[in-house]
Amino acid sequence: MTDPSTLSPRDRLIVGLDVSSRAEAEAIVTELGEEVGFYKIGYQLGFAGGLPLVGELARMGKKVFLDLKLHDIANTVEKGIESIAGLGATMTTIHAYPQVMQAAAKAAAGSGLCVLGVTVLTSLSDEDLREAGYGGSVSDLVELRARQAAEAGIGGIVASAQESALVREILSPGMALVTPGIRPAGSEAGDQKRVVTPAQALRDGSTHLVVARPIIASPDRLAAARAILAEMRDA
Ligand code: C5P
């Protein structure tokens, strides 16, 4: 992967294509034009006929983050990661369990695909972890898994803005730290409980920002994307 410290704001902004049809996604990509070079495809679009868009966008010179959060036995993860690399994706996600991360790191080696570990889903509280049979707190588990991600040699992790300062210290400098829950000053938080501005996220050590609704749901998407890029440039 490219050294994150050399990235421009355009390389760091990932626009989430959180829509349910390929046509809607294509219209957004057309509208945002050259301004945006990196898109995220998740469950909603991926499972609604959006997977072929990975290759299409890659052929247009765009980078694609395929966010399907894999979790399975090592052999299955390995084959899945090889297929995702074959689609032309730039980034993808797995759950940050040691076996899964080791298998993914092995499969992605030399492909240019950056595998990101999801440490602990941000919807989980300490109480939820206890209910699921874990002993420690969310932050203990985030810290442990960030360490294991670095040891496994995957490309980076996804972390909320609240975790980014903690995990940045643990990750090696070349690892990506991808942060969702970004809201430009004065915008709607929606269902995101803990949000930060683009500038704050970069200051906390995030290398990439995932932004969906502040751009996708804006009446002027291009202006919204430009405003975020300008804020990133100033940071
Ligand atoms: O619309 P918004 O900017 O909140 O979208 C953020 C994107 O990042 C969504 O695609 C969401 O699924 C994803 N995401 C998140 N929080 C996480 C992990 C992923 O919001 N902890």
Side-chain angles (χ1 to χ4, degrees):
M1 212 191 85
T2 324
D3 174 1
S5 65
T6 64
L7 299 175
S8 69
R10 187 177 179 272
D11 298 320
R12 296 175 185 274
L13 174 64
I14 305 176
V15 174
L17 290 172
D18 291 342
V19 292
S20 45
S21 76
R22 202 166 143 174
E24 279 173 278
E26 284 167 346
I28 292 167
V29 172
T30 303
E31 191 179 338
L32 294 174
E34 280 312 300
E35 213 69 35
V36 171
F38 212 149
Y39 288 98
K40 179 169 93 77
I41 295 177
Y43 290 172
Q44 184 186 3
L45 177 60
F47 298 139
L51 286 182
L53 260 184
V54 178
E56 249 172 60
L57 289 170
R59 281 188 292 277
M60 288 168 66
K62 307 289 185 193
K63 291 180 181 160
V64 183
F65 171 9
L66 184 58
D67 184 19
L68 299 179
K69 301 184 178 69
L70 306 189
H71 186 188
D72 211 312
I73 59 169
N75 181 63
T76 304
V77 168
E78 223 176 288
K79 302 298 175 202
I81 292 291
E82 283 169 13
S83 295
I84 289 171
L87 291 177
T90 305
M91 275 181 177
T92 199
T93 39
I94 56 169
H95 284 278
Y97 287 79
Q99 279 189 359
V100 177
M101 293 193 285
Q102 285 152 19
K106 183 175 157 205
S111 70
L113 175 66
C114 176
V115 174
L116 304 171
V118 175
T119 55
V120 179
L121 293 171
T122 49
S123 55
L124 299 179
S125 63
D126 290 350
E127 178 56 34
D128 293 320
L129 284 189
R130 254 195 306 282
E131 199 184 346
Y134 290 89
S137 66
V138 170
S139 64
D140 292 342
L141 194 54
V142 167
E143 197 175 329
L144 172 71
R145 290 185 171 166
R147 242 177 258 294
Q148 290 169 335
E151 281 161 20
I154 61 169
I157 67 170
V158 180
S160 76
Q162 278 61 38
E163 296 160 352
S164 53
L166 167 76
V167 296
R168 189 68 268 176
E169 285 179 27
I170 298 170
L171 301 182
S172 33
M175 287 176 81
L177 178 49
V178 179
T179 302
I182 303 295
R183 292 295 177 269
S187 69
E188 290 287 321
D191 61 355
Q192 296 280 17
K193 293 195 177 62
R194 293 168 303 184
V195 297
V196 288
T197 63
Q200 187 59 45
L202 293 178
R203 279 195 292 269
D204 289 346
S206 299
T207 59
H208 296 79
L209 313 182
V210 177
V211 183
R213 283 164 293 180
I215 294 175
I216 299 304
S218 164
D220 187 345
R221 292 170 174 147
L222 189 56
R226 282 186 175 142
I228 290 172
L229 286 163
E231 194 180 333
M232 292 169 73
R233 227 166 268 129
D234 289 344

